[in-house]
């Protein structure tokens, strides 16, 4: 084993959840196509996939959509407030609902942003979360 | 919280897997080797993300195994320092609070990293935060708790000589990857508080 690049990119919770659900779906299709004999997957993989889905289902990632996530990231990254990449990532993962929750994710929030700007950021996040939730219920 | 790590490895496909498509056989081999395992100084490998390159298969003499050099990417759990994560309280001791995620258990919030004014209630076996206003907030078991990652620790658990193994107590066996978190900023702590 050789480690070529320890950290090539960071993934959001949503991307991980989507990837694992995609693998699960592929395995299910395979079983339907070729019979249950091909369904034998390594036990450690089954365990970790189940546990990751269990965990991520309790987070904001469940209700997210690819378009919604991209839109939110673009809006936050484009904003003149100059958020760090990891701050945008954490906002996407947590979707903070109030100022206290946002303050935890952003370093020195109060000195960097005015009260109006904080409200604006929270609004952006809230509208992204809402549009995703709406679509979820209309689809379901 | 999750990252992509690029690795290369020599993957062996046994003749019993020759009926399976090569790509699938490689994926299964990589997953059974890495999924849910800690890679030293990298993090907890979750599963294969994609295969980037693979060489032609070479059959070694003596066995019928096919050896393939594969370059691939794994999804790895490796929170960065300062990241905020939500987990559940597994149990509390006078030394601090143990937190678990469904897929990762070795997270510890030491007592020095809890809110100022936190005390351990020995009868209830729970940490209590006495706020300045005189309120008592409880770190109950199974509550969702938000914490900040402060330190990480990798332990290389190389196998020990079986003759020596008996003399080692269980306590000497440290988890291969361990996180230390903190809870002393408003917004952190039990999620329902804020």
């Amino acid at each position: 084993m050789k480690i070529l690049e320890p950290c090539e990119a960071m993934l959001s919770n949503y991307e991980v959840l989507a990837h694992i659900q995609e693998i699960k779906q592929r395995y299910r299709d395979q079983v339907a196509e070729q019979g249950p004999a091909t369904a034998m997957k390594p036990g450690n993989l089954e365990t970790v996939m189940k546990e990751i889905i269990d965990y991520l289902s309790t987070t904001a990632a469940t209700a997210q959509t690819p378009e919604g996530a991209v839109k939110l990231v673009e809006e936050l990254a484009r904003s003149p407030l100059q958020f760090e990449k990891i701050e945008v990532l954490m906002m996407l993962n947590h979707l903070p609902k109030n100022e206290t929750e946002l303050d935890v994710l952003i370093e020195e929030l109060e000195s960097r942003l005015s009260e109006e700007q904080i409200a604006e950021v929270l609004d952006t996040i809230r509208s992204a979360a809402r549009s995703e939730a709406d679509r979820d219920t209309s689809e379901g | 919280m999750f990252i992509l790590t690029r690795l290369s490895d020599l993957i062996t496909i046994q003749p019993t897997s020759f009926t399976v498509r090569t790509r699938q056989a490689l994926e299964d081999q990589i997953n059974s080797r890495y999924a849910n395992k800690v890679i030293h100084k990298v993090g907890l490998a979750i599963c294969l993300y994609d295969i980037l390159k693979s060489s032609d298969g070479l059959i070694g003499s003596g066995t019928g195994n096919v050896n393939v050099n594969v370059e691939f990417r794994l999804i790895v759990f490796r929170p960065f320092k300062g990241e905020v994560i939500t987990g559940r309280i597994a149990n509390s001791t006078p030394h601090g609070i143990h937190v678990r995620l469904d897929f990762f258990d070795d997270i510890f919030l030491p007592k020095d990293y809890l809110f100022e004014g936190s005390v351990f209630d020995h009868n209830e076996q729970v940490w209590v935060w006495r706020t300045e206003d005189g309120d008592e907030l409880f770190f109950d078991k199974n509550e969702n708790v938000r914490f900040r990652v402060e330190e990480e620790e990798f332990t290389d658990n190389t196998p020990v000589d079986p003759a020596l193994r008996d003399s080692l107590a269980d306590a000497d066996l440290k988890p291969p990857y361990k996180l230390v978190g903190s809870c002393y900023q408003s917004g952190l702590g039990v999620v329902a508080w804020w």
Side-chain angles (χ1 to χ4, degrees):
Chain A
M1 178 188 84
K2 205 157 65 183
I3 298 162
L4 301 174
E5 181 64 59
C7 180
E8 193 163 82
M10 292 201 209
L11 297 174
S12 68
N13 288 354
Y14 169 72
E15 285 169 292
V16 173
L17 182 64
H19 181 78
I20 290 188
Q21 279 169 342
E22 190 199 308
I23 302 181
K24 283 223 138 176
Q25 187 55 47
R26 212 172 64 215
Y27 286 167
R28 252 179 255 135
D29 293 347
Q30 213 177 9
V31 171
E33 229 172 73
Q34 302 164 13
T38 55
M40 294 293 285
K41 292 299 158 201
N44 50 347
L45 178 66
E46 294 284 358
T47 311
V48 78
M49 284 203 301
K50 184 190 171 294
E51 287 172 345
I52 291 273
I53 291 180
D54 282 352
Y55 176 71
L56 291 180
S57 315
T58 65
T59 66
T62 34
Q64 283 172 340
T65 57
E67 304 84 33
V70 169
K71 195 169 146 250
L72 179 61
V73 169
E74 273 177 358
E75 265 171 45
L76 292 173
R78 216 180 326 117
S79 95
L81 307 172
Q82 298 186 334
F83 291 119
E84 298 285 331
K85 192 171 139 196
I86 53 172
E87 291 172 340
V88 175
L89 181 69
M90 284 204 286
M91 281 192 269
L92 177 66
N93 283 346
H94 286 266
L95 298 181
K97 286 186 224 43
N98 52 43
E99 197 186 318
T100 328
E101 288 184 8
L102 188 65
D103 181 43
V104 177
L105 306 180
I106 312 266
E107 225 170 294
E108 291 170 17
L109 178 76
E110 269 150 37
S111 56
R112 275 170 60 191
L113 273 70
S114 69
E115 273 188 29
E116 294 88 60
Q117 286 170 321
I118 294 175
E120 215 172 280
V121 171
L122 284 172
D123 262 351
T124 314
I125 295 171
R126 207 173 300 132
S127 65
R130 191 160 358 126
S131 63
E132 279 166 4
D134 284 350
R135 192 184 325 211
D136 224 39
T137 46
S138 65
E139 275 176 5
Chain B
M1 189 146 102
F2 298 101
I3 58 168
L4 277 183
T5 298
R6 186 148 53 93
L7 297 169
S8 77
D9 202 352
L10 182 71
I11 303 294
T12 305
I13 304 176
Q14 292 184 340
T16 45
S17 311
F18 285 174
T19 50
V20 186
R21 290 225 175 98
T22 315
R23 192 193 158 80
Q24 187 63 49
L26 289 175
E27 277 180 22
D28 288 348
Q29 274 300 318
I30 293 171
N31 275 326
S32 68
R33 190 176 287 184
Y34 291 102
N36 213 2
K37 294 187 177 150
V38 171
I39 307 176
H40 193 57
K41 303 262 181 203
V42 172
L44 172 71
I46 305 294
C47 68
L48 179 72
Y49 186 74
D50 56 1
I51 292 178
L52 300 171
K53 265 194 265 180
S54 69
S55 70
D56 288 339
L58 291 173
I59 298 177
S61 65
T63 62
N65 294 347
V66 171
N67 299 297
V68 187
N69 272 310
V70 189
E71 199 180 309
F72 54 96
R73 292 192 290 185
L74 293 174
I75 298 181
V76 174
F77 171 72
R78 175 82 184 269
F80 52 85
K81 271 179 207 169
E83 178 161 7
V84 176
I85 300 181
T86 312
R88 246 177 313 121
I89 295 180
N91 62 49
S92 306
T93 67
H95 303 291
I97 300 174
H98 289 274
V99 177
R100 61 185 305 253
L101 312 180
D102 290 280
F103 56 95
F104 186 75
D105 295 346
D106 299 308
I107 304 170
F108 186 58
L109 315 178
K111 61 173 194 268
D112 301 338
Y113 282 170
L114 298 179
F115 290 103
E116 216 169 291
S118 297
V119 285
F120 187 67
D121 184 332
H122 282 271
N123 294 328
E124 304 274 344
Q125 293 287 308
V126 54
W127 278 89
V128 184
W129 176 31
R130 299 217 166 101
T131 60
E132 284 168 9
D133 307 337
D135 289 337
E136 285 195 341
L137 296 169
F138 290 82
F139 283 94
D140 282 323
K141 198 175 166 180
N142 282 332
E143 282 283 2
N144 279 327
V145 65
R146 212 180 279 136
F147 61 93
R148 188 185 295 285
V149 177
E150 298 284 345
E151 292 158 34
E152 53 184 14
E153 194 184 308
F154 284 99
T155 313
D156 194 357
N157 285 337
T158 0
V160 208
D161 182 346
L164 291 169
R165 202 181 300 151
D166 291 340
S167 62
L168 284 173
D170 277 348
D172 290 339
L173 289 172
K174 283 198 188 159
Y177 179 37
K178 193 174 119 184
L179 293 172
V180 173
S182 73
C183 242
Y184 50 60
Q185 193 190 345
S186 46
L188 298 176
V190 175
V191 175
W193 295 348
W194 306 101

